[in-house]
Amino acid sequence: MSRLLDIDRVRELFDLEGSYLAASGGSYQDDPNPAWHALRSEAAIHPGTVHELSGLSTPASFHGLPEPDRQHFSAFTFAACDAVYRDPETFASSPDGADIMGGEAAITNSMLSMGGVQHRRYRSLVQTSFTPAKAEWWIRNWIEETVDLLIDSFASDGRAELNVDFCAAIPVLTITGSFGFPVEQALDVRQALHTPLELIEMLMPIVAARREQPQDDLISMLVEAEITDEAGATQRLSDPEIYSFALLLLAAGSGTTWKQMGIILNILLSRPELLDAVCNDRSLIKPVIDEAVRWLPTDPMFSRWVMKDVELFGTQIPAGSVLHLCLGAANRDPERWERPDEFDITRPPKPTLAFGGGPHICLGMHVARAELTVGLNALLDRLPNLRLDPDQPASRFVGFYERGSTALPVRFG
Ligand code: HEM
C-alpha cells in the first residue's frame, strides 16, 4: 500500500448519522440497560420483541426484524441466552430448520443461515483462516499496514475524527485486502456493499486469477478449499459459493468492528486516567477489549427460530415462534457479574455473549480482536497526549440494535 487513502471519500462512504439511521433504531440515544434490568428481574423470557419490550414504538420492519406474522419472544438472562445458543436443533438460525441438507449454497444462502451438518461443513472450510494462531497472518498481511496508512493521513494535523477516519475504515480495508483488492478499490467495494451483483462483478476477475495462480490470501484459500459431501466425495467451492462467503465476511465483519472500536475509544477517551494507564501498560488492552464487549456489545440482539414446542425458563414457546436473544442484557446479568453496570477491567475473565455462542459463534472474533488491538496500540504509539477535543461536542453512544459512538473528535501532540 503505497498511496494515501482519499479521506474525503472515506467520510462520504462512512456517513455516521446516515449509517445509524438506516441501521435499525438509529436515532436512539438512551441507555437501554435500565429497561433490560427491569425486564430481566421480572422473567428470563418475555413475549414480544426486544425493542417493543424496551419501550420503543418503532415498527419491527423499521428494525429489519423478520417474520411479522409469527409470535415473538425475547430472552434477557445470560443463562437463557446461553442455553438457546447451546441447543441449535431446537433454536435454529433459519426458519427452514436446523439442518438444511444438500443443494448448492445460493449467493444469499450464507453460512449464517445454514444449520447442522451443512453449516459444519462450510464453516470448517474457512475456520482454519480464523483461528487465534492465524491472527498474526492477518496482522502482518493487512491490519498493520491498514492502520499505519490511516494514521499517516492525519498524524501531522494535531487533530482527527477517529470514528470515521480510523475505526470505520480498518475492517473494510482488512477484509478487502484479504480478498486481493488493492487499497484504492477498497472504497468501491464499500460503496457496492448494498448492490451484491456489482460486488460480484468486482470479485470475478480476482477469483479467476487465483484459480490460475493461488497467492497467500483469503480468496486463494477459498478457491483451493475442498468440501466433502455425504458420500465422501470432495469438490471445490463453486464461484457463487465463494462470492457468498465474501459477501458474508464483508457484511458481518465491517460494521461490527467499526462500531465496537468506536465504543472502546469512547470509553477510553472519556476516562483519561484509564487511557493513561493503558498507554503505559499495553497488557491492559486485552482486558479493556474484553470488558468493552461485555459492557456495550455493538450488536446486542440476535434471533433464532423455534423448531418445536418448548418450555424455556418457565415460559411456553410454541414451534414456529421467533426468539430474540438480548445479548446486551445477558452481558449485564447480575447473576453472572457483580456490579454489572460498572466498566471494570479488573474483573476475573469470564466468557460473555458479545460474539454469540454455539455453532454460529463469531467466525471473525480473533480477526476483530487483532484489529482492535493493533489499532489501539498504534494510536497510543503514534499520537502522543491523545485526548478528546474540548471544543467539539462530546461523543455519545447511539443506536439500538446496532450500537456505536457518534463522532470522536480528538487532539494530540
Ligand atoms: C467486534 C466485532 C464483532 C462482533 C461484536 C461480532 C459479533 C458476532 C456475533 C454475535 C455473531 C453470532 C450471530 C448469531 O448468533 O446469529 C457473529 C457471527 C459471525 N461473525 Fe462476527 N462479530 C464481529 C466481527 C467479525 C469479523 C471481523 C468477521 C469477519 C472477518 C466476522 C464474521 C462473522 C461470521 C462469518 C459470522 C457467522 C458465523 C456462522 O454462522 O457460523 N465477525 N459475529
Side-chain angles (χ1 to χ4, degrees):
M1 286 183 210
S2 53
R3 299 184 35 199
L4 279 188
L5 213 60
D6 179 349
I7 213 73
D8 290 331
R9 178 122 192 266
V10 172
R11 285 182 195 148
E12 204 179 293
L13 289 175
F14 296 95
D15 158 33
L16 208 55
E17 293 292 314
S19 149
Y20 283 115
L21 282 176
S24 43
S27 53
Y28 185 84
Q29 295 193 14
D30 294 336
D31 177 3
N33 286 291
W36 293 348
H37 283 312
L39 288 159
R40 191 197 309 101
S41 66
E42 277 168 33
I45 317 278
H46 290 260
T49 60
V50 174
H51 69 276
E52 281 165 11
L53 289 161
S54 312
L56 270 74
S57 54
T58 36
S61 57
F62 174 77
H63 297 279
L65 285 192
E67 315 282 358
D69 302 332
R70 296 188 185 228
Q71 269 185 277
H72 290 252
F73 293 83
S74 298
F76 290 91
T77 62
F78 182 92
C81 294
D82 190 49
V84 169
Y85 268 140
R86 286 170 192 273
D87 182 0
E89 271 161 36
T90 309
F91 305 103
S93 50
S94 84
D96 305 325
D99 197 0
I100 316 163
M101 290 289 294
E104 194 176 81
I107 288 170
T108 49
N109 177 18
S110 85
M111 189 169 60
L112 193 59
S113 57
M114 291 177 190
V117 178
Q118 192 198 26
H119 174 258
R120 266 198 303 283
R121 255 193 228 132
Y122 275 86
R123 183 156 169 145
S124 65
L125 275 180
V126 276
Q127 185 81 51
T128 48
S129 297
F130 290 89
T131 57
K134 270 280 179 178
E136 266 309 311
W137 179 72
W138 286 86
I139 292 173
R140 196 174 8 92
N141 282 322
W142 302 291
I143 301 174
E144 233 159 35
E145 229 174 339
T146 295
V147 161
D148 278 338
L149 185 75
L150 290 167
I151 298 182
D152 285 346
S153 68
F154 53 71
S156 57
D157 297 347
R159 60 172 69 204
E161 191 294 287
L162 294 182
N163 205 357
V164 170
D165 294 358
F166 188 67
C167 305
I170 294 173
V172 172
L173 290 175
T174 301
I175 293 285
T176 50
S178 77
F179 292 163
F181 286 111
V183 74
E184 51 273 27
Q185 225 187 333
L187 297 179
D188 299 334
V189 174
R190 158 77 194 179
Q191 196 157 25
L193 208 57
H194 302 292
T195 46
L197 290 179
E198 259 176 66
L199 196 56
I200 288 165
E201 263 175 39
M202 294 166 76
L203 277 164
M204 274 176 181
I206 298 181
V207 172
R210 297 304 191 274
R211 286 210 190 276
E212 286 284 306
Q213 193 165 13
Q215 293 186 10
D216 185 24
D217 57 17
L218 191 73
I219 209 86
S220 303
M221 187 280 297
L222 291 176
V223 159
E224 295 198 297
E226 286 185 335
I227 195 159
T228 310
D229 67 18
E230 303 94 274
T234 55
Q235 67 186 77
R236 293 202 161 180
L237 287 180
S238 66
D239 285 2
E241 285 168 326
I242 293 177
Y243 305 147
S244 157
F245 264 130
L247 293 177
L248 170 65
L249 291 178
L250 265 170
S254 305
T256 44
T257 315
W258 161 19
K259 287 168 185 156
Q260 196 71 58
M261 183 162 246
I263 290 169
I264 295 176
L265 280 173
N266 188 332
I267 292 171
L268 284 176
L269 288 161
S270 52
R271 292 168 175 76
E273 329 77 63
L274 181 61
L275 182 65
D276 208 37
V278 174
C279 193
N280 293 323
D281 178 0
R282 303 306 174 81
S283 71
L284 297 180
I285 287 185
K286 184 177 182 307
V288 163
I289 294 173
D290 289 344
E291 178 66 347
V293 299
R294 180 195 73 81
W295 193 73
L296 218 167
T298 176
D299 283 4
M301 191 281 286
F302 280 91
S303 310
R304 290 295 184 264
W305 279 262
V306 181
M307 303 315 290
K308 58 177 188 223
D309 292 347
V310 65
E311 188 189 323
L312 189 67
F313 290 79
T315 300
Q316 294 294 334
I317 306 183
S321 310
V322 183
L323 175 59
H324 306 284
L325 310 181
C326 187
L327 309 181
N331 276 1
R332 292 207 191 188
D333 188 336
E335 291 278 317
R336 188 169 170 86
W337 287 281
E338 282 174 25
R339 303 165 284 102
D341 291 328
E342 274 175 41
F343 184 86
D344 177 2
I345 63 165
T346 66
R347 292 177 188 283
K350 231 181 217 184
T352 76
L353 293 181
F355 290 103
H360 290 272
I361 194 167
C362 180
L363 178 76
M365 66 181 157
H366 303 296
V367 178
R369 284 176 179 282
E371 290 171 330
L372 297 170
T373 308
V374 172
L376 290 172
N377 263 314
L379 287 178
L380 297 176
D381 285 341
R382 295 193 54 195
L383 308 179
N385 192 17
L386 182 65
R387 59 204 184 275
L388 281 173
D389 186 338
D391 301 331
Q392 301 287 329
S395 183
R396 298 180 318 276
F397 297 120
V398 284
F400 189 77
Y401 285 133
E402 272 187 35
R403 313 256 302 138
S405 288
T406 54
L408 286 162
V410 291
R411 296 217 177 198
F412 43 86

